[in-house]
Amino acid sequence: MRAFAELLDRLALTGSRNAKLVLLRDYLRATSDPDRGWALAALTGELTFNAAKPAMIRKAVEARVDPVLFGWSYDYVGDLAETVALIWPGSPDHRPNREPELGEVVDALALAKRGEVQGLIEGWLDALAPKGRWALLKLVTGGLRVGLSAQLARTAVAMMRPGTVTEAPEPGGGEATQPLEPLTAADIVEVWHAVEPPYAELFAWVEGRAERPDTEAPGRFRQVMLAVAIDEAVDFDRLDPADYAAEWKWDGIRVQAVRENGVARLYSRHGDEITSAFPDLMDALTFEAAIDGELLVMRAGSQGDWQVAPFGDLQQRLNRKTVDAKLMAAWPASLYAYDLLGEAGEDLRSLPLLQRRARLEAVVAAHTGERLHLSPVVAFDSWQGLGVLRADPPVGAAAEGLMLKRWDSPYIAGRPKGPWFKWKRDPHTVDCVMMYAQRGHGKRSSFYSDYTFGVWTSGGALTPVGKAYFGFTDEELKQLDKFVRDHTVERFGPVRSVRAERDFGLVLEIAFEGLQRSPRHKSGVAMRFPRVSRIRWDKPAREANTLDDVMDLLDSLESGGGRVAKQGS
């Protein structure tokens, strides 16, 4: 555990992407199997322990530390693992054993019954130093938060590839060496779903000790191709509209639907299998292919056409392991097809988009049923004309912008610069008043960085409409934190109620991607992806928006209309 703890600690304190890659690469090279494989699984989210819950850890520490002291410490530190690691006193009756290895922890938790887990964790906490306790608790709760994405971790695995591999001696004596082809993160992703933790087969291939794992199994995931945000001030001057196809950027979730040799699977864009949550969709698909598309709820329109429902409808079905017939009937899932990655066993990703699109159109045209639809190409002759459509799409609220794709582009894993661009609509904005503030986590645990904000009701009171914790600079965070501390009126554990009246309050301009009706919220509405776009130190609280403004915007979005009218300047 000591090497793993040191890795997590250094990753958490390192801001540089390249430095993180080197740290993980060196750890993977220096650590033996299976520990390095379990570490990689933890960093990529592939390792979970269902029996180890945060409530269990709190119960264990409160048995050894005064609960009030622990509560105060937790409120101040803001991170459970860090708090417990520092405050854990050890047991006077326990003689610490040697520090456990990472593989030992994983094996023990995998075999332990639910009632045995707390005892195991307590014993390990007694045996470990504070840094090791912190790493252990991060591991078992699954909340590593060290600033390393799964994609970055796979890049580090690719960097492990050595320059040469030693072969058998030649007849003349000595040894012959054959250079190994360098690897990329896309190469690792291609085999990722063919191997399992602790990845001994993967490491053997990367290090040149074994052949590439077989990835030709039916129903496999293909690494998706992603777009970069377009820079309107620079990119349009050098791009020819004739070279690009335009499609609506639908407001659903990106998926990959694969049906091959009787194997039917639905994957998220990150490769997580979500087939069990959408069995109605997979049962309705009959093609023999791998299709890249958007998962949406679609309903029949009054003219016999099909209309894309708002994201809130799809949200009723997300993050569920299983669904019942009633839910499937109320929120019917469909696939809007973007691209064809493979057909009848043939890999099509190296073909240009123009050819893939033609074959995709044939697949969709031959498909029966109402669950597979073709994402239409948007006709345009200039960037200016396309910009008009983007600002006011005829398809309504279900489109959040446009995708621009070069007709000659192959399907390349990752996010290459140039072939594909995303051109999202400008966000909606509403002026709100800060009502509550909460301490952040990790590096922000000393600041009040999570803000609940509201708008004025017809009765002159504030009602919460959302919560945001990003969109501001570090310097602005310090200013916001000072405002919270200077104008706190009540405290509720880590949360502070901030003075917010008609004649006094801090106005935050909130940007968001969409609205949906929500009976769970007091205001009756929920925002999608809210963030602070501007701090309105200059604006009186009384001039913030009203709930009527927000509901008018929601009505307008549901009917395919425009934006809320901002009050004041």
Side-chain angles (χ1 to χ4, degrees):
M1 282 294 295
R2 184 173 299 178
F4 179 64
E6 185 66 27
L7 171 67
L8 292 188
D9 185 59
R10 296 185 68 184
L11 286 173
L13 297 175
T14 301
S16 166
R17 174 186 182 276
N18 290 338
K20 288 179 184 288
L21 285 171
V22 171
L23 283 171
L24 181 54
R25 179 204 64 187
D26 292 348
Y27 169 85
L28 294 174
R29 283 179 172 176
T31 307
S32 59
D33 295 325
D35 279 14
R36 62 178 176 177
W38 293 125
L40 180 62
L43 289 166
T44 55
E46 300 289 338
L47 183 63
T48 58
F49 302 101
N50 295 328
K53 304 294 184 182
M56 177 187 299
I57 297 169
R58 286 194 292 267
K59 180 181 177 181
V61 72
E62 287 175 353
R64 298 200 186 186
V65 177
D66 181 86
V68 175
L69 175 61
F70 171 67
W72 287 346
S73 302
Y74 186 21
D75 286 345
Y76 183 80
V77 174
D79 182 89
L80 178 64
E82 188 172 349
T83 306
V84 175
L86 294 172
I87 206 172
W88 186 261
S91 172
D93 301 324
H94 177 79
R95 177 177 294 178
N97 299 317
R98 65 174 180 83
E99 292 190 4
E101 297 295 335
L102 179 57
E104 295 176 31
V105 172
V106 174
D107 291 342
L109 289 175
L111 297 174
K113 298 178 181 178
R114 184 176 294 272
E116 300 172 340
V117 172
Q118 182 171 330
L120 286 172
I121 293 176
E122 290 182 15
W124 291 327
L125 290 174
D126 285 334
L128 291 166
K131 190 181 293 184
R133 296 172 191 157
W134 173 75
L136 171 73
L137 295 174
K138 288 290 186 181
L139 175 72
V140 300
T141 58
L144 297 184
R145 292 187 180 181
V146 291
L148 188 84
S149 66
Q151 184 72 1
L152 206 61
R154 294 168 188 145
T155 302
V157 175
M159 290 169 59
M160 293 174 60
R161 170 63 64 98
T164 59
V165 59
T166 301
E167 295 183 334
E170 293 184 343
E175 293 184 337
T177 58
Q178 174 185 342
L180 289 173
E181 291 291 334
L183 297 176
T184 66
D187 296 321
I188 304 301
V189 172
E190 284 291 317
V191 304
W192 188 258
H193 294 277
V195 295
E196 295 182 353
Y199 306 121
E201 186 181 1
L202 172 67
F203 289 125
W205 166 58
V206 170
E207 294 172 340
R209 297 182 285 106
E211 296 295 322
R212 181 177 187 266
D214 181 18
T215 61
E216 299 304 313
R220 67 189 183 279
F221 173 75
R222 282 87 164 168
Q223 172 75 344
V224 300
M225 182 173 178
L226 302 171
V228 298
I230 198 159
D231 186 339
E232 298 180 42
V234 176
D235 290 327
F236 284 133
D237 290 339
R238 61 183 184 83
L239 300 179
D240 186 347
D243 293 337
Y244 284 83
E247 294 179 62
W248 293 115
K249 189 177 189 300
W250 301 103
D251 195 9
I253 65 167
R254 184 87 171 272
V255 294
Q256 192 175 119
V258 186
R259 291 186 61 89
E260 295 172 324
N261 295 336
V263 179
R265 291 176 182 164
L266 186 68
Y267 296 100
S268 72
R269 58 174 279 189
H270 300 293
D272 301 318
E273 188 178 353
I274 55 175
T275 312
S276 60
F278 297 92
D280 52 331
L281 173 61
M282 297 311 295
D283 289 344
L285 298 179
T286 59
F287 52 75
E288 184 72 9
I291 291 181
D292 177 13
E294 196 84 2
L295 182 66
L296 301 160
V297 169
M298 299 189 68
R299 305 186 187 279
S302 57
Q303 305 300 319
D305 57 342
W306 287 92
Q307 298 180 352
V308 178
F311 181 79
D313 286 13
L314 177 64
Q315 208 164 25
Q316 305 299 319
R317 298 207 40 187
L318 297 178
N319 301 320
R320 296 176 183 266
K321 293 184 178 180
T322 58
V323 291
D324 56 28
K326 182 178 179 181
L327 192 70
M328 290 187 286
W331 316 103
S334 295
L335 178 66
Y336 232 157
Y338 290 148
D339 214 325
L340 189 64
L341 312 187
E343 183 184 15
E346 181 184 359
D347 191 341
L348 307 180
R349 289 174 291 177
S350 62
L351 298 179
L353 173 63
L354 186 63
Q355 294 183 31
R356 299 199 309 273
R357 174 77 188 192
R359 294 182 63 164
L360 175 65
E361 291 175 356
V363 169
V364 176
H367 195 274
T368 59
E370 303 168 342
R371 300 300 184 100
L372 179 64
H373 304 266
L374 180 68
S375 180
V377 173
V378 180
F380 72 102
D381 15 44
S382 68
W383 297 126
Q384 292 79 8
L386 189 61
V388 173
L389 287 173
R390 165 185 169 268
D392 190 17
V395 291
E400 57 177 8
L402 288 162
M403 295 288 295
L404 307 176
K405 303 177 180 178
R406 281 191 65 96
W407 283 113
D408 60 357
S409 62
Y411 194 93
I412 305 171
R415 201 185 299 271
K417 172 70 173 177
W420 288 12
F421 293 97
K422 55 184 176 182
W423 193 16
K424 297 184 69 172
R425 297 174 69 185
D426 294 332
H428 308 284
T429 58
V430 169
D431 286 336
C432 303
V433 181
M434 181 192 294
M435 299 175 66
Y436 305 99
Q438 183 174 349
R439 284 184 181 275
H441 292 273
K443 295 179 180 179
R444 287 185 168 184
S445 60
S446 298
F447 295 96
Y448 287 91
S449 62
D450 300 8
Y451 309 112
T452 299
F453 45 83
V455 293
W456 298 109
T457 65
S458 57
L462 283 171
T463 184
V465 291
K467 185 175 183 179
Y469 52 87
F470 67 101
F472 38 82
T473 65
D474 290 343
E475 185 59 35
E476 288 174 330
L477 173 59
K478 295 177 182 178
Q479 297 171 3
L480 290 168
D481 180 74
K482 185 177 187 306
F483 180 88
V484 171
R485 295 176 187 273
D486 290 346
H487 300 99
T488 296
V489 293
E490 288 184 276
R491 301 188 185 194
F492 311 95
V495 178
R496 292 194 180 195
S497 175
V498 182
R499 184 183 174 190
E501 304 163 359
R502 300 286 297 186
D503 296 325
F504 184 88
L506 180 58
V507 177
L508 303 175
E509 182 181 88
I510 302 298
F512 55 96
E513 301 301 322
L515 291 171
Q516 65 188 68
R517 300 186 188 276
S518 174
R520 297 189 300 108
H521 293 78
K522 184 179 179 180
S523 63
V525 67
M527 291 181 173
R528 188 172 182 217
F529 299 142
R531 65 268 190 193
V532 177
S533 63
R534 192 162 47 137
I535 306 171
R536 297 301 305 269
W537 301 103
D538 61 314
K539 191 164 190 175
R542 73 176 74 88
E543 294 183 8
N545 280 104
T546 66
L547 184 58
D548 287 341
D549 293 332
V550 176
M551 299 309 293
D552 287 346
L553 172 59
L554 177 57
D555 292 338
S556 180
L557 290 175
E558 290 179 339
S559 62
R563 301 178 180 279
V564 68
K566 295 291 292 295
Q567 295 183 4
S569 58

